[in-house]
Amino acid sequence: MYREQKPPERPFLPETLLALLSAIYASRLALLCLPWDGIGAEVEAAVAVSLVVGALLFLRRQKMLAAAVLACTLVALISSAAFCARTEDAAEALQATSASKLVFVVEGDSSKGTSGWRCRAAAEEDGHTVGDVWLVGSRELTAGERVRCIGRMKPLADDDYGRSSFAQGICCTVKMVRITGRDEPQGLRALVEHIRTAGKDAFLGSDTPERALEVGSVLGFKAPLQEEGLSDLFSACGVSHLVAVSGGHLAVIASALAVVLGWLRLSPKWRIALSITLTGIFVVLCGLPVSAMRAWLMACAASGAVLAGRRSHALSAVSLVGLILVWASPASAADIGFLLSVYAVCGLCLFASYLAYALTLLVPELPWLHRVPKRLMRALGKLRQNVLALLAATLAAQLVTAALTSEVFGTFSLVAPLANLVLALPFSCMIALALLAFAMLPLPWLSHLLMAGADLFAGFSLAAVRFLAHLPYASISVAATTAVPEIVVLAFLALWLAAWPELSSAWLRRSAIACAFGLACLIVSWRFFAPARLCILDVGQGDAILVQEGAAAVLIDTGPEGAVAETLEKSHVLHIDAVVLTHLHDDHTGGVKDLGSVAPVGTVYVAEGVKGSMSETLRGEIEELTGKDAEEISAGSVLHAGGFTMRMVWPKADVTGEENGDSIELVLEHPEGGGTFRALLTGDGEEDELRQFADEVGDIDVLKVGHHGSEISIDAGEARELAPELAVASAGENNKYGHPTEQCIETLEGAQARFLCTKDVGTVEIRPREEGYAVYTER
């Protein structure tokens, strides 16, 4: 029985780990800054930090470690600069070449997005690789295929996605108009894809969410997971590492294998060798994704150290392999899969044993266990130990990668510890049975029997995930676009290693209660004590505006489909009293059906006369959302949200809501200090409508620019009459309409207004103050 009450021995912290982290951050910052801004402040900061760390270590007479940190940082920066130069040269060469002259070799599975199927591919000309591209088209492509097409070369945009793509070695995007030829994979890749496809067809013969989960988790096919919406569910529960084929996923598989192999009477060396072999086969079955291959290599290095009788140097071997990978391919440092692999494997080496110790204190032995026969008692004790060890491994991987996953998925799950506890055993059993079912495909009766068993555990896992994901406040949205959260997490882990405290059950329980209380206070503050704010939300090419104070919130328009939910979650909106639909265009009403997953909604308002023009689909969505039909308002109607008042000034008569000029326009006011904050919210209204009531509105502080900043949204006379200090337009990046137009911007700036657009700065938040107002932008 596992009765240890003392913390495990503090793990050995190798010098190579510090060198690896230094190299990763130096490369990452260089890749994201050098191609766009030259030597940016971030790179200078990285060099400065490395110099300070090196100097401190030197002063403490750790000369070898100081030299390692400085040397690794320097080599990483030089390697990254050379990589950037090669990628820029390749990008110039590709953009000067027609897509029809190239052959594209698909490097990984396709994923489906809003623009079609996307995959990474190497562009070849006359048998020589020029560079890597994003290949986008209407068809799913298979890894290893050679594709010829007629298409358009599109350079990467100077935005977060473009920078991230460039850092991974992507030169440009190729939009395929027509595929002119496809050659099947050859050699080993052909064999691997044939085996994977056979497994996919066998599993998906039963078109169920359970089978989609099994195919995504065992064979690495992401499309079925996305089509069933399972990726979002697992993300909301903080267990994305279970279905993302990377270091965290491989760590779970390896931990499950260790538990299973632990029951066999084999020597430790044989168990390690079997684990490495089986996880290697698993990586092949997943289609040899680069992130999983790197994680497997690091796992091999750690296991090799153990086999050599140097268990304390397992992390040294992992760090050395990671360092070599960063030097050989600087793009690894910007690859989220590689970072998750490094962090997950290091987390296992450093913290899994301590978390197992903490869980042992939290999960006491059952009092009746000592009254059962000794053999059964030993078996149950061993089962408890193995389950806790598996859970500890999963939690270690999640803890160390928390900042990265929050940044990538935009959410931080509050139910993640519970989800890991519930899913650890059934998910591992599902993986084991699904792998066995795959191996037994030549024996259909046995394979189907094993699949049925895997379906049972997959069904339980999905039921648990769905239940947890739909709990109130299961996850909160975060907007972490910098390395600060990662640095905070690393600092916390460093302090943990330095302290390595002895714990008690009572202290753990009190800490859990304190954390729960803190989270409850945070949620209460979001729900009932929100600051007075007007938020022009970034929903792409559409409109959505949040007016909120205290416990009251009003949403004006809902943006296009699929955009508003994430934005509201980032703003921590937990309740909406009313939704105002300015008119019936899809870019203002498309998000109505998405609101149900974010917050309860009280009433939906439209302009007088609009209800008769509503589609049955929209009417049904409103009734499902609120339990009642929409209500009509007219000029002079007033809505309230805390201290805000919103008075409707347009339209003056009944409308159908089918034209831009039918948009509800509101004058928003908020008393603050000795004055009143005033704004005009215009929907898609333009200068013809504005001309009819501008003198009635008078001087304002903020103008929400009409119709996304079209050239006829406002004229110079209206801009002078309203005299806004700030004008904000809502438009999507690279929209086909050219919104906002230069004419609109020049008109407003000519009236001395500062102009902002959501496509440039993200969500714009305006907070009335005692003197004036404060403006915050997402970017």
Side-chain angles (χ1 to χ4, degrees):
M1 299 281 283
Y2 183 74
R3 298 178 181 275
E4 185 178 7
Q5 298 299 317
K6 297 289 184 181
E9 183 180 351
R10 191 196 315 269
F12 171 70
L13 197 64
E15 293 83 355
T16 49
L17 178 59
L18 184 57
L20 171 62
L21 294 176
S22 174
I24 284 176
Y25 278 98
S27 292
R28 231 174 126 190
L29 292 169
L31 291 171
L32 294 172
C33 297
L34 284 174
W36 312 93
D37 304 321
I39 299 294
E42 294 90 344
V43 177
E44 294 173 355
V47 175
V49 169
S50 297
L51 290 172
V52 170
V53 171
L56 290 174
L57 293 171
F58 185 84
L59 291 174
R60 294 188 64 185
R61 299 185 179 181
Q62 298 186 30
K63 297 181 180 179
M64 291 298 294
L65 184 54
V69 170
L70 294 175
C72 290
T73 303
L74 183 61
V75 170
L77 287 172
I78 293 172
S79 179
S80 299
F83 174 84
C84 290
R86 291 194 303 270
T87 307
E88 286 179 320
D89 291 343
E92 291 178 4
L94 284 172
Q95 291 171 35
T97 306
S98 171
S100 59
K101 296 180 180 180
L102 300 169
V103 175
F104 299 97
V105 183
V106 181
E107 296 183 341
D109 292 330
S110 299
S111 60
K112 194 172 185 179
T114 55
S115 57
W117 291 92
R118 175 186 294 266
C119 62
R120 180 169 180 153
E124 292 185 354
E125 185 176 23
D126 299 328
H128 299 288
T129 300
V130 182
D132 283 3
V133 301
W134 289 127
L135 200 58
V136 181
S138 58
R139 296 185 183 181
E140 183 178 7
L141 301 176
T142 303
E145 274 192 286
R146 299 175 66 83
V147 180
R148 293 174 294 282
C149 69
I150 295 173
R152 296 189 297 271
M153 292 281 187
K154 186 178 178 183
L156 299 174
D158 185 6
D159 55 21
D160 290 340
Y161 184 75
R163 291 175 181 233
S164 174
S165 297
F166 187 94
Q168 297 174 56
I170 302 293
C171 301
C172 60
T173 298
V174 178
K175 175 68 175 178
M176 295 187 294
V177 178
R178 180 164 61 88
I179 294 177
T180 58
R182 295 173 67 177
D183 297 330
E184 296 297 322
Q186 302 293 323
L188 177 61
R189 171 63 78 174
L191 177 61
V192 170
E193 293 305 321
H194 175 74
I195 294 172
R196 294 180 72 220
T197 303
K200 178 183 178 182
D201 293 341
F203 275 90
L204 294 184
S206 174
D207 187 14
T208 63
E210 289 80 7
R211 293 296 175 85
L213 178 60
E214 291 158 23
V215 165
S217 303
V218 175
L219 298 176
F221 288 105
K222 298 177 182 177
L225 289 170
Q226 293 171 338
E227 290 169 3
E228 295 286 346
L230 302 183
S231 298
D232 293 337
L233 278 176
F234 276 76
S235 174
C237 291
V239 286
S240 296
H241 56 282
L242 295 179
V243 293
V245 182
S246 62
H249 186 75
L250 197 62
V252 173
I253 303 300
S255 300
L257 279 173
V259 170
V260 174
L261 294 174
W263 290 87
L264 301 179
R265 294 184 178 181
L266 298 173
S267 67
K269 292 186 177 181
W270 273 107
R271 288 202 298 270
I272 291 173
L274 270 175
S275 179
I276 288 296
T277 303
L278 292 173
T279 49
I281 294 172
F282 176 77
V283 170
V284 172
L285 292 179
C286 289
L288 298 169
V290 175
S291 57
M293 291 174 64
R294 290 168 177 157
W296 184 73
L297 286 174
M298 288 186 284
C300 287
S303 300
V306 175
L307 285 173
R310 300 177 67 88
R311 182 177 296 274
S312 62
H313 289 273
L315 190 55
S316 298
V318 169
S319 302
L320 182 59
V321 171
L323 196 56
I324 293 171
L325 289 172
V326 171
W327 284 342
S329 176
S332 302
D335 179 9
I336 188 65
F338 173 74
L339 295 176
L340 288 173
S341 299
V342 169
Y343 286 12
V345 174
C346 291
L348 285 174
C349 292
L350 292 173
F351 301 108
S353 61
Y354 191 95
L355 286 173
Y357 152 72
L359 288 172
T360 303
L361 294 175
L362 266 178
V363 185
E365 295 178 351
L366 296 174
W368 52 263
L369 196 60
H370 297 285
R371 295 196 291 269
V372 302
K374 288 186 177 181
R375 181 172 295 182
L376 179 59
M377 183 175 68
R378 283 195 297 269
L380 290 174
K382 189 170 184 180
L383 176 63
R384 171 176 174 270
Q385 178 184 347
N386 287 333
V387 169
L388 292 180
L390 179 59
L391 178 59
T394 306
L395 286 174
Q398 187 210 6
L399 175 66
V400 179
T401 60
L404 281 175
T405 53
S406 296
E407 179 179 345
V408 172
F409 297 105
T411 58
F412 180 78
S413 175
L414 301 181
V415 298
L418 179 59
N420 277 285
L421 178 63
V422 172
L423 293 179
L425 189 58
F427 193 86
S428 301
C429 292
M430 181 205 74
I431 292 287
L433 288 172
L435 282 171
L436 287 173
F438 179 79
M440 295 300 162
L441 283 178
L443 299 173
W445 64 272
L446 181 56
S447 179
H448 285 110
L449 183 63
L450 292 167
M451 283 185 192
D455 288 346
L456 287 174
F457 287 106
F460 178 85
S461 299
L462 288 176
V465 167
R466 289 192 180 103
F467 174 77
L468 293 171
H470 288 94
L471 288 175
Y473 319 123
S475 63
I476 57 175
S477 184
V478 295
T481 57
T482 68
V484 172
E486 294 173 51
I487 295 172
V488 170
V489 170
L490 287 174
F492 166 74
L493 296 176
L495 290 173
W496 183 1
L497 280 170
W500 209 247
E502 182 175 345
L503 303 176
S504 68
S505 299
W507 185 88
L508 285 171
R509 286 193 293 270
R510 287 194 294 267
S511 298
I513 293 171
C515 290
F517 179 75
L519 287 173
C521 290
L522 187 62
I523 291 168
V524 168
S525 70
W526 292 336
R527 173 61 182 89
F528 297 103
F529 301 98
R533 57 179 180 167
L534 165 67
C535 301
I536 291 85
L537 304 175
D538 182 12
V539 290
Q541 187 64 17
D543 264 22
I545 300 170
L546 174 69
V547 180
Q548 185 180 32
E549 184 176 19
V554 173
L555 182 67
I556 303 164
D557 286 327
T558 62
E561 181 180 350
V564 75
E566 181 180 352
T567 310
L568 287 174
E569 287 174 349
K570 285 182 180 178
S571 300
H572 307 304
V573 176
L574 306 176
H575 175 80
I576 300 173
D577 294 283
V579 174
V580 179
L581 300 180
T582 60
H583 61 301
L584 298 180
H585 288 176
D586 288 343
D587 60 332
H588 293 250
T589 64
V592 168
K593 64 182 179 182
D594 300 324
L595 293 178
S597 64
V598 179
V601 176
T603 306
V604 174
Y605 294 105
V606 296
E608 198 162 4
V610 170
K611 284 172 63 175
S613 305
M614 270 188 193
S615 67
E616 289 301 320
T617 300
L618 179 57
R619 191 184 301 274
E621 290 171 354
I622 291 173
E623 289 182 355
E624 182 178 352
L625 181 66
T626 64
K628 58 185 178 181
D629 201 359
E631 296 184 15
E632 293 186 340
I633 55 176
S634 57
S637 297
V638 178
L639 301 176
H640 299 272
F644 286 103
T645 60
M646 289 156 276
R647 178 170 54 89
M648 182 172 165
V649 294
W650 187 265
K652 301 289 189 181
D654 289 7
V655 293
T656 64
E658 296 174 346
E659 304 293 335
N660 288 335
D662 296 343
S663 294
I664 291 176
E665 303 195 40
L666 301 165
V667 173
L668 177 143
E669 295 184 341
H670 188 282
E672 193 66 53
T676 299
F677 169 78
R678 304 183 79 238
L680 177 62
L681 313 178
T682 57
D684 269 356
E686 296 175 332
E687 58 186 23
D688 288 345
E689 294 76 44
L690 193 55
R691 189 174 299 118
Q692 300 184 54
F693 62 85
D695 57 344
E696 172 190 341
V697 173
D699 189 10
I700 59 174
D701 297 298
V702 176
L703 171 68
K704 204 296 292 183
V705 182
H707 197 198
H708 317 291
S710 71
E711 62 183 1
I712 57 172
S713 60
I714 190 170
D715 65 27
E718 294 161 356
R720 286 193 300 272
E721 188 161 11
L722 295 173
E725 296 176 4
L726 174 67
V728 184
S730 178
E733 292 184 25
N734 304 315
N735 67 82
K736 62 183 179 181
Y737 310 102
H739 293 158
T741 62
E742 288 297 326
Q743 180 178 333
C744 173
I745 297 173
E746 290 173 1
T747 297
L748 288 163
E749 290 182 342
Q752 307 303 311
R754 181 187 178 192
F755 186 88
L756 297 175
C757 184
T758 56
K759 77 183 182 71
D760 300 316
V761 299
T763 293
V764 179
E765 182 174 322
I766 303 157
R767 296 188 182 184
R769 298 293 193 206
E770 193 163 329
E771 295 182 2
Y773 55 92
V775 180
Y776 305 90
T777 58
E778 186 177 1
R779 296 191 292 271

